[in-house]
Amino acid sequence: MFESLSEKLNTTFKKLTGRGRLSEENIGEALKEVRLALLEADVNYRIVKKLIEEIRRRAVGVDVLESLTPGQQVIKIVNEELTRLMGETRADLQLVGKTPFVLMLVGLQGSGKTTTAGKLAQHLQGQGRSPYLVPADIYRPAAIEQLKKLGIQLDVPVYPGDSQTKPEAICRDALSRAGSVGADVLILDTAGRLHIDDALMSELERIKEQTNPTEILLVADAMTGQDAVNMAEQFNRRLDITGIILSKMEGDARGGAALSIKEVTGKPIKFVGVGEKLDAIEPFFPDRMASRILGMGDVVSLIEKAQQEFDEKEAVKLEKRLRKREFNLEDFQTHLKQMKKLGSLEQIVGMLPGIGQFKQLKKLKPDEKGLIRIEAIINSMTVQERQNHKILNASRRKRIARGSGSNVQDVNRLLKNFIQTKKIVENLARKGYQNMPSIFH
Amino acid sequence: MKLFGNKENREEGKNGKASGLIERLKQGLSKTRSGLAGKLDQLVFGKKQIDDAILDELEEILFTADLGVRTTQELIDLVQSAVARKELNHPEKLKDILKENMRSFLHLPRIEHQRPKPGEPLIIMVIGVNGVGKTTTIGKAAHRFRNEGKKVMLIAADTFRAAAVEQLTIWGERVGAEVIKQDTGADPSAVVFDGISAALSRKADVVIIDTAGRLHTKVNLMEELEKVRRVVNGRLDGAPHEIWLILDATTGQNAISQAELFHKALGVTDIVLTKLDGTAKGGIVVGLCHQLGLPVRFIGIGEKMDDLRSFDAQEFVNAIFD
């Protein structure tokens, strides 16, 4: 749908040949792209503005790391900043002190509170807790029925509420009954409401007052637009929430609302909902979310890995050979060794700047275990064979297979793979390698 | 950040039954109006020419209304080129040019689709992601059709979500529409097949099919929806006549992706924009209409039975700017 930010940045930085230091001028264009990417991702306009200024301030004057292109350097800074805003470390439920604990779920209509209540119940069951589901939504038709059904599915007790009783009375009574049903955590499923609906917001305040919740969790749809800030601000102002649960994260929303909500409330995001099934709830990882908002997968962490682990000398040697358009099995092996340190070929390929045009490379995906076998095979070759694969006839292949504990098909597959890679790599080198910002520098 | 809560208007809207459609629309959109137009007025007040500061502010206004990068840039470009051509030399005219362009983006003809043959019911299939308000919209739509004296039947084809069938049943009782249902977990295609058969034999005028919410990116669930449509079509030639895509006004740019993928899979005929009674500005429809050419048919402005209103581009833009 959206061209990924890293692709956009690569285009932007193609023009930029000067290296060394990030300056006001050379990051201007890049920051424009970052800004649009954040806006496309539904991060609130004002937060984007603030963020871009912060990034500009941090980026100007920074030395471009040896192993990075300026584009990657900017992404790195952006990503660090986003991760920092997103909370850096992951936050869990704080269930300490006297039982029974009370978790109160609040949010707009349709944000997924009832489903989340079921998911939390299952999650807590898994931790050896005894949850008690409390239906406090007396407005939406059949909302109580929905929670009861989830309770049956999970074999979790559900407070027998009805839509004639006031929600605060339901919650209060449920709390007093918790002991008798053997529960140690109550999950209050409140009705969806608009943050500007004063009467219904007061109702939440009353529930809070009467049940003294351990956690008040705002359930927010990951697809929310610019209005996320107003919504979150109001819920937080009225209830002083303790955390956020982002729902519907399994879709293709970039989820900029997460950043907006975190920023205006200052409260941690504790879980993300990733499906309709009751086990589809995961802890929240700030760094992953940052990459998702930027629309670039895990490229950033790879950039960081590359920085630490790429063996410079080997890389320079490989690059020289590439420039001469020589790529033999020894290079292939070196290449694979580097890769083992870095992660899968697919990820590496995604990280190569300008790789968008070389889609075919993305198809070459040796699995991680396969890499070990490949290495064994190459190790069983003679130096001559490694330097010139063309001499590998049937009997040589048979010998290699035996020596490496594999079979001839494996050897053939490896060779096929190698020849493909060689073609692409040499092709890459021929087609203006100079234009391609190198990661081997 | 500024709040647009306007309680008086809301209360008035709830009680004042006699208020005209435009008034109701304005009330429902009051937050939109005080947001956008208020800021714009502030912006141009006392200024003699259009400078970068105005354009920056303008950009903020459009972005915070969820118009999105593409539509915002387009509108800004239009303003800029009008300035360059000297057609737009006074800030006061800014509002007119924006209004005019937004209206032209929103004003779309209805999509051509099959009409029911004489004696056959109008069959409407309602689709959308989870939690946008499909069932509520169906309840309100059924109420509208009932007010027109139509015999309405509802088919509960959301057999996945716990108690979805019960929710539709309660709406059916409220508005006086028979609900055709099977148990949760039943095959939606089977429910729909039986439902249409029942509607035909009982001579319903309008049949509305409630489907389970699903994210547009889930291929197998989208295929299930296509199958439901094929089954409907197999049971009654030409049906479903209308496919309504429900979108939540609080949704950001993802609404475009939703509309694109649902439209590609099923061929959407109408968009219904729900939850316009919050502070969300619903600006996403401007871009959506413009980029995809899908017309908005109704807007949801509250949880009550009669809170589903016809969408009219002219009124929508007027309500935003007047």
Side-chain angles (χ1 to χ4, degrees):
Chain A
M1 188 177 48
F2 301 108
E3 192 190 351
S4 84
L5 180 65
S6 43
E7 272 167 48
K8 273 187 192 162
L9 283 182
N10 284 332
T11 322
T12 308
F13 278 103
K14 236 180 196 159
K15 294 169 233 156
L16 189 74
T17 46
R19 297 176 56 88
R21 185 164 286 192
L22 296 177
S23 68
E24 191 82 46
E25 296 79 53
N26 66 17
I27 60 168
E29 279 297 310
L31 285 183
K32 256 188 213 161
E33 295 294 343
V34 172
R35 177 176 173 273
L36 290 180
L38 294 174
L39 285 166
E40 289 274 20
D42 290 321
V43 179
N44 181 267
Y45 184 87
R46 289 185 192 175
I47 294 170
V48 171
K49 219 170 177 176
K50 226 172 86 184
L51 193 58
I52 291 293
E53 281 325 301
E54 178 63 22
I55 293 166
R56 192 191 306 278
R57 199 184 56 73
R58 274 195 54 192
V60 170
V62 163
D63 289 324
V64 177
L65 285 167
E66 281 290 295
S67 52
L68 300 185
T69 66
Q72 290 171 335
Q73 185 77 52
V74 173
I75 293 182
K76 187 170 173 294
I77 295 170
V78 172
N79 191 69
E80 280 166 7
E81 192 58 26
L82 284 186
T83 308
R84 193 181 63 76
L85 287 177
M86 212 75 81
E88 297 194 268
T89 53
R90 78 164 229 81
D92 209 342
L93 292 175
Q94 296 299 315
L95 300 183
V96 282
K98 225 179 105 219
T99 56
F101 303 112
V102 176
L103 307 183
M104 179 173 168
L105 301 183
V106 300
L108 298 179
Q109 289 98 336
S111 59
K113 287 173 297 305
T114 308
T115 304
T116 302
K119 290 177 181 180
L120 280 177
Q122 193 181 40
H123 172 77
L124 290 165
Q125 261 182 328
Q127 298 191 331
R129 302 256 176 214
S130 306
Y132 190 27
L133 289 166
V134 184
D137 179 358
I138 59 169
Y139 308 100
R140 180 164 61 91
I144 295 178
E145 197 55 36
Q146 187 183 350
L147 198 68
K148 282 183 181 162
K149 289 194 167 184
L150 292 178
I152 293 168
Q153 270 182 50
L154 291 167
D155 197 19
V156 163
V158 180
Y159 176 82
D162 62 73
S163 56
Q164 309 308 317
T165 316
K166 282 193 168 170
E168 53 266 46
I170 292 177
C171 295
R172 195 180 49 225
D173 190 45
L175 186 57
S176 69
R177 282 203 208 182
S180 67
V181 298
D184 57 8
V185 192
L186 279 79
I187 302 171
L188 311 182
D189 179 31
T190 67
R193 65 203 72 215
L194 287 170
H195 50 291
I196 51 167
D197 190 326
D198 191 52
L200 284 178
M201 291 300 278
S202 308
E203 178 193 283
L204 289 180
E205 287 169 335
R206 287 195 300 277
I207 294 176
K208 179 185 175 180
E209 206 180 280
Q210 303 200 4
T211 60
N212 191 23
T214 325
E215 293 257 16
I216 300 176
L217 300 163
L218 173 65
V219 181
D221 187 329
M223 301 182 280
T224 312
Q226 296 282 323
D227 203 44
V229 287
N230 297 324
M231 182 272 294
E233 203 169 40
Q234 281 307 300
F235 275 101
N236 192 42
R237 189 175 69 80
R238 302 283 295 248
L239 298 162
D240 190 19
I241 61 170
T242 62
I244 296 144
I245 297 179
L246 271 183
S247 64
K248 305 180 208 172
M249 277 282 287
E250 75 272 30
D252 59 350
R254 296 258 294 279
L259 188 62
S260 305
I261 295 171
K262 176 73 180 53
E263 177 70 5
V264 294
T265 62
K267 303 296 164 62
I269 298 169
K270 300 204 164 180
F271 292 98
V272 293
V274 291
E276 294 180 72
K277 301 239 168 72
L278 290 175
D279 58 358
I281 188 163
E282 290 176 356
F284 173 76
F285 293 102
D287 46 342
R288 286 189 205 164
M289 191 70 211
S291 298
R292 175 168 177 158
I293 290 175
L294 283 174
M296 44 184 236
D298 272 336
V299 171
V300 178
S301 42
L302 275 162
I303 291 174
E304 278 165 0
K305 263 190 179 176
Q307 246 169 265
Q308 298 158 5
E309 307 202 12
F310 217 91
D311 188 325
E312 297 254 334
K313 275 188 206 151
E314 291 288 344
V316 169
K317 227 173 27 189
L318 181 59
E319 183 167 354
K320 270 192 190 142
R321 299 188 57 82
L322 277 179
R323 286 195 191 283
K324 281 193 274 172
R325 274 194 263 142
E326 290 168 18
F327 186 75
N328 60 27
L329 279 159
E330 272 182 341
D331 301 320
F332 192 52
Q333 192 181 22
T334 313
H335 199 57
L336 292 176
K337 271 188 193 154
Q338 296 277 17
M339 245 166 240
K340 243 178 28 187
K341 287 189 213 160
L342 283 167
S344 80
L345 183 56
E346 192 185 19
Q347 287 171 304
I348 301 291
V349 163
M351 173 181 138
L352 287 167
I355 210 67
Q357 311 140 17
F358 300 101
K359 290 260 162 63
Q360 70 265 46
L361 248 183
K362 287 187 178 171
K363 287 185 205 142
L364 305 174
K365 281 191 269 182
D367 61 302
E368 309 272 327
K369 275 182 209 152
L371 280 178
I372 298 170
R373 192 181 308 149
I374 289 170
E375 252 200 287
I377 294 173
I378 298 179
N379 282 337
S380 301
M381 294 175 186
T382 65
V383 177
Q384 250 183 330
E385 285 166 346
R386 284 184 219 159
Q387 282 169 352
N388 183 9
H389 69 282
K390 285 178 188 151
I391 64 170
L392 286 166
N393 59 21
S395 76
R396 280 175 191 263
R397 289 181 195 201
K398 237 188 249 167
R399 189 206 77 235
I400 293 165
R402 263 202 314 275
S404 59
S406 52
N407 53 41
V408 177
Q409 282 85 357
D410 289 330
V411 179
N412 287 341
R413 204 175 305 127
L414 164 76
L415 283 171
K416 211 176 133 198
N417 216 321
F418 161 72
I419 291 164
Q420 255 180 309
T421 309
K422 179 178 162 75
K423 244 189 228 155
I424 294 167
V425 167
E426 291 180 355
N427 204 20
L428 217 79
R430 189 162 44 242
K431 273 193 200 159
Y433 188 83
Q434 306 88 305
N435 294 338
M436 204 178 90
S438 167
I439 61 162
F440 300 138
H441 258 279
Chain B
M1 211 147 287
K2 200 185 153 219
L3 294 172
F4 308 119
N6 196 339
K7 196 168 168 262
E8 285 73 23
N9 269 357
R10 276 168 55 80
E11 292 305 318
E12 217 176 274
K14 275 181 188 161
N15 304 329
K17 269 193 182 154
S19 57
L21 181 59
I22 295 181
E23 274 310 301
R24 275 303 300 262
L25 193 63
K26 270 192 201 169
Q27 282 156 12
L29 288 171
S30 62
K31 269 68 64 180
T32 315
R33 195 174 76 249
S34 59
L36 243 171
K39 280 193 201 166
L40 255 187
D41 284 340
Q42 250 179 319
L43 185 61
V44 299
F45 184 75
K47 292 217 173 137
K48 289 277 180 285
Q49 57 183 20
I50 294 157
D51 51 20
D52 282 353
I54 287 191
L55 289 177
D56 271 1
E57 285 282 328
L58 182 60
E59 192 194 61
E60 170 169 357
I61 290 164
L62 299 176
F63 267 124
T64 47
D66 279 322
L67 262 75
V69 170
R70 196 168 139 187
T71 312
T72 299
Q73 274 178 344
E74 204 164 317
L75 286 167
I76 298 273
D77 286 350
L78 284 166
V79 169
Q80 276 177 322
S81 67
V83 171
R85 288 198 308 273
K86 305 240 188 316
E87 286 165 17
L88 182 63
N89 46 24
H90 199 276
E92 292 288 337
K93 286 189 188 158
L94 199 58
K95 219 156 113 176
D96 294 333
I97 194 166
L98 275 175
K99 206 164 144 177
E100 186 47 45
N101 281 295
M102 282 167 77
R103 187 169 51 214
S104 76
F105 287 178
L106 288 165
H107 186 75
L108 296 169
R110 285 203 62 188
I111 286 176
E112 294 268 332
H113 55 82
Q114 297 254 21
R115 306 303 314 169
K117 297 180 190 80
E120 286 178 358
L122 168 69
I123 298 187
I124 301 164
M125 197 169 148
V126 175
I127 58 175
V129 302
N130 317 66
V132 288
K134 283 178 295 301
T135 308
T136 308
T137 300
I138 289 170
K140 294 190 233 174
H143 180 64
R144 274 180 80 104
F145 286 120
R146 291 283 298 136
N147 280 349
E148 293 169 11
K150 302 268 171 58
K151 178 172 180 174
V152 182
M153 286 177 86
L154 309 178
I155 300 178
D158 179 356
T159 56
F160 180 80
R161 182 170 62 86
V165 175
E166 286 82 348
Q167 189 181 350
L168 192 70
T169 306
I170 295 171
W171 269 108
E173 282 162 12
R174 269 187 201 169
V175 302
E178 190 183 340
V179 178
I180 301 165
K181 58 195 172 190
Q182 290 178 17
D183 289 338
T184 299
D187 175 11
S189 296
V191 178
V192 163
F193 188 89
D194 292 350
I196 304 246
S197 306
L200 290 174
S201 70
R202 282 172 237 178
K203 305 245 174 299
D205 300 310
V206 181
V207 178
I208 312 178
I209 303 167
D210 187 18
T211 64
R214 65 202 72 214
L215 289 190
H216 48 296
T217 48
K218 293 202 168 164
V219 177
N220 56 338
L221 293 180
M222 293 300 276
E223 279 168 1
E224 179 194 89
L225 213 47
E226 287 167 47
K227 186 180 166 202
V228 168
R229 191 194 49 181
R230 280 198 305 275
V231 168
V232 172
N233 191 259
R235 187 64 190 85
L236 182 66
D237 188 41
H241 308 96
E242 296 178 2
I243 295 182
W244 294 5
L245 174 66
I246 316 297
L247 294 174
D248 182 334
T250 55
T251 307
Q253 298 312 302
N254 195 251
I256 305 262
S257 173
Q258 291 172 23
E260 256 171 4
L261 292 184
F262 275 110
H263 187 49
K264 206 173 127 205
L266 289 133
V268 171
T269 62
D270 303 272
I271 284 180
V272 181
L273 187 68
T274 61
K275 308 188 199 175
L276 258 176
D277 46 340
T279 51
K281 300 178 178 75
I284 186 66
V285 292
V286 179
L288 189 89
C289 290
H290 183 46
Q291 288 176 34
L292 301 180
L294 292 174
V296 180
R297 174 104 171 264
F298 295 110
I299 56 173
I301 54 171
E303 288 182 307
K304 298 213 161 151
M305 255 191 259
D306 54 2
D307 284 340
L308 186 71
R309 301 282 151 174
S310 288
F311 175 85
D312 179 288
Q314 178 87 41
E315 281 172 355
F316 188 83
V317 175
N318 282 348
I320 289 175
F321 282 94
D322 286 350

